Amino acid sequence: MRKRTLVGNQKGPETINVSPLIDMVFILLIFFIVGAVFVKKPIVDVNKIPTKSGSLLAQDSLLFAVTDKNELYYGAKVITVDDLGIIVRKKLKRSKMSVVLQLDKMSDASFVAVLLEKLSDLGVDSYLSTKQKL
């Protein structure tokens, strides 16, 4: 019995050229990295006081939360007033930012006054609050 042989190109199996695909993946990755906004939001849920007026939260702002137990949160960490000063000083070196304090209804006014005094000592002059409906 005769064996059949392929006539013509005997290179082997064809492969797919993936180099344009890799280029496209890197372009998309760069697009999403540049387009992302990196804002650290506190992990705690603060029972905020409803406000009649307020300004919208700026994208380049520092967000801190004060709970009813007078714990200060930045992202998912509980920080001290001294840590607040370090964080704000480091961020203000890079660019001019606003500071947002989310206060719980039951937070102590004297603790908030200490925070505001610390922020004014650091040269922070703009405070924002998120807009809420009544």
Side-chain angles (χ1 to χ4, degrees):
M1 185 187 251
R2 282 175 54 183
K3 289 186 178 179
R4 289 189 173 184
T5 60
L6 294 174
V7 179
N9 193 357
Q10 300 274 334
K11 284 191 215 175
E14 290 292 322
T15 60
I16 298 173
N17 187 5
V18 294
S19 55
L21 180 65
I22 293 171
D23 291 343
M24 185 58 118
V25 168
F26 280 123
I27 289 171
L28 286 173
L29 180 68
I30 291 169
F31 173 76
F32 286 118
I33 288 173
V34 170
V37 177
F38 301 106
V39 176
K40 281 190 174 183
K41 293 187 178 181
I43 198 167
V44 295
D45 188 29
V46 176
N47 189 8
K48 298 178 220 148
I49 303 168
T51 58
K52 291 185 179 178
S53 65
S55 57
L56 292 175
L57 179 63
Q59 293 295 334
D60 59 343
S61 59
L62 292 171
L63 190 60
F64 298 98
V66 179
T67 64
D68 56 346
K69 298 172 186 161
N70 294 325
E71 295 173 324
L72 181 62
Y73 277 84
Y74 178 66
K77 285 179 25 179
V78 178
I79 62 171
T80 64
V81 177
D82 294 330
D83 294 336
L84 170 77
I86 293 169
I87 292 168
V88 170
R89 200 173 297 119
K90 184 169 71 170
K91 297 287 184 177
L92 285 179
K93 281 184 183 177
R94 294 186 199 154
S95 66
K96 188 69 175 166
M97 301 179 116
S98 300
V99 175
V100 177
L101 288 175
Q102 290 182 335
L103 305 175
D104 193 273
K105 286 181 185 178
M106 302 305 291
S107 59
D108 191 16
S110 62
F111 182 70
V112 175
V114 168
L115 294 177
L116 292 177
E117 184 178 343
K118 180 73 170 180
L119 290 173
S120 66
D121 289 345
L122 292 169
V124 176
D125 56 358
S126 59
Y127 304 93
L128 297 175
S129 64
T130 55
K131 188 177 275 191
Q132 300 176 13
K133 295 180 182 177
L134 285 176

